[in-house]
Amino acid sequence: MTLAFVFPGQGAQTIGMGKALADAYPAAKAVFDEVDEALGESLSSLMWDGDIETLTLTQNAQPALMATSMAAMRALEAEGVDVTRAAFVAGHSLGEYSALAAAGALSVADTARLLRTRGQAMQSAVPVGEGAMAAILGLDLDAVRAVAEEAAQGEVCQAANDNDPTQVVVSGAKAAVERAAEIAKEKGAKRAVMLPVSAPFHCALMQPAADVMAEALAGVEIKAPEVPLVANVRAEAVTDPDLIRQLLVEQVTGSVRWRESVQYMVAQGVTEAWEIGAGKALSGMIRKIDRSIACSAVGTPEDVQKALQAGD
């Protein structure tokens, strides 16, 4: 069995996530305390007792999802499973930061501050209502790229997330993305779904946010990860801290090559993936990419115990 630890992105957030881990494992509780201190506010109170609309704001969701992933990681470590049990770490968009924190490349406090900055920068890069994203279901990446090109008409419209063989997300100017959704249906897409997002992530409109992140990342120590990171924009393993820093900047405007990342790990012998943190979205994508990979979600104390039994 060759294992990969994968870390979820935005959209997996729920009120209450991570609370059971914090109650069951002192090391998990310490993660939330560390994040609260790093941000100078009680993000954990929002996560456990707040409202979903406020939690879903990008600047809150990003550090909150990372905190939940790291709490699950600390719970696994308390049970004797550390990151070196995995051959690779990988994360979807903001999950890449969680993966790097899990692999010891970034401190939890630095990661929380970076993700707060990233969330604010991504939100402010494009005025609300001017950008959009849509999931195109039933067309492959090349077909969606052609749709995006046809729909652009001088505006930004790009394939942003290559999630699995049945789902590619386009991002860009609102009118262009709406045109892409209609063109995709004409080209045989099963569905084209406008996504409830607050900004058009992973496209050229995010360049102001990339500039902010270049400056923020320049001031943070990045160590070589204890296990290789399969980077979103490269879909291959990287370990060099300077390259990781560069790719985190590129990731803001670049495509999340998740399908290719999973295929890369399979080619390297990965047979099992543990989704560390909130939700099961990545497990669903991975099953559509390669059914031979056994997936486990690890987001509660019960999940931790199940994963330990599966890994024995």
Side-chain angles (χ1 to χ4, degrees):
M1 178 195 83
T2 301
L3 181 62
F5 288 164
V6 299
F7 297 83
Q10 221 160 312
Q13 64 274 1
T14 55
I15 294 296
M17 65 180 182
K19 180 72 166 65
L21 289 167
D23 290 344
Y25 293 95
K29 173 71 166 61
V31 169
F32 295 106
D33 292 343
E34 187 175 355
V35 170
D36 288 350
E37 186 176 343
L39 297 179
E41 65 182 69
S42 184
L43 183 64
S44 58
S45 295
L46 170 62
M47 293 170 64
W48 299 337
D49 302 309
D51 64 274
I52 190 65
E53 289 80 13
T54 308
L55 180 60
T56 297
L57 292 173
T58 302
Q59 65 192 52
N60 294 326
Q62 294 199 25
L65 285 161
M66 181 278 297
T68 304
S69 287
M70 286 307 300
M73 201 67 230
R74 295 288 182 257
L76 286 170
E77 289 166 2
E79 299 287 1
V81 176
D82 71 12
V83 73
T84 59
R85 174 78 73 89
F88 299 100
V89 293
H92 193 284
S93 191
L94 86 90
E96 193 153 272
Y97 286 79
S98 307
L100 287 165
L106 287 167
S107 73
V108 169
D110 281 343
T111 309
R113 287 188 288 262
L114 284 169
L115 286 173
R116 168 58 55 85
T117 299
R118 184 177 183 265
Q120 289 170 334
M122 292 173 109
Q123 187 61 66
S124 60
V126 179
V128 173
E130 289 189 14
M133 299 179 78
I136 310 300
L137 308 179
L139 294 180
D140 66 16
L141 178 61
D142 288 341
V144 173
R145 278 181 174 152
V147 165
E149 195 174 327
E150 183 180 336
Q153 296 178 22
E155 296 184 292
V156 171
C157 189
Q158 292 171 238
N161 301 349
D162 180 16
N163 285 335
D164 65 47
T166 68
Q167 185 194 112
V168 181
V169 175
V170 294
S171 181
K174 187 168 186 280
V177 171
E178 289 170 345
R179 284 193 295 271
E182 291 308 310
I183 293 167
K185 286 186 263 192
E186 291 165 13
K187 302 273 188 191
K190 289 179 183 170
R191 280 196 303 155
V193 183
M194 299 299 291
L195 298 179
V197 294
S198 54
F201 305 127
H202 299 292
C203 75
L205 294 175
M206 286 287 115
Q207 188 56 50
D211 296 340
V212 170
M213 290 313 297
E215 188 174 334
L217 285 157
V220 168
E221 181 186 15
I222 300 180
K223 299 176 183 173
E226 292 180 57
V227 299
L229 170 79
V230 180
N232 281 188
V233 296
R234 288 276 183 96
E236 61 186 24
V238 297
T239 55
D240 177 72
D242 290 334
L243 178 58
I244 287 169
R245 196 186 310 273
Q246 174 194 324
L247 296 179
L248 287 174
V249 176
E250 290 181 16
Q251 188 226 61
V252 178
T253 55
S255 296
V256 176
R257 296 167 61 184
W258 187 252
R259 176 182 59 84
E260 292 172 273
S261 294
V262 172
Q263 289 172 335
Y264 171 85
M265 290 188 279
V266 171
Q268 305 303 310
V270 167
T271 55
E272 186 165 2
W274 290 7
E275 183 169 359
I276 312 291
K280 299 178 180 178
L282 296 185
S283 298
M285 291 178 200
I286 290 169
R287 288 190 186 100
K288 288 176 181 169
I289 296 163
D290 193 314
R291 294 203 69 82
S292 71
I293 300 183
C295 298
S296 302
V298 184
T300 66
E302 295 74 22
D303 291 341
V304 170
Q305 294 304 319
K306 281 184 200 165
L308 295 172
Q309 289 159 12
D312 285 342

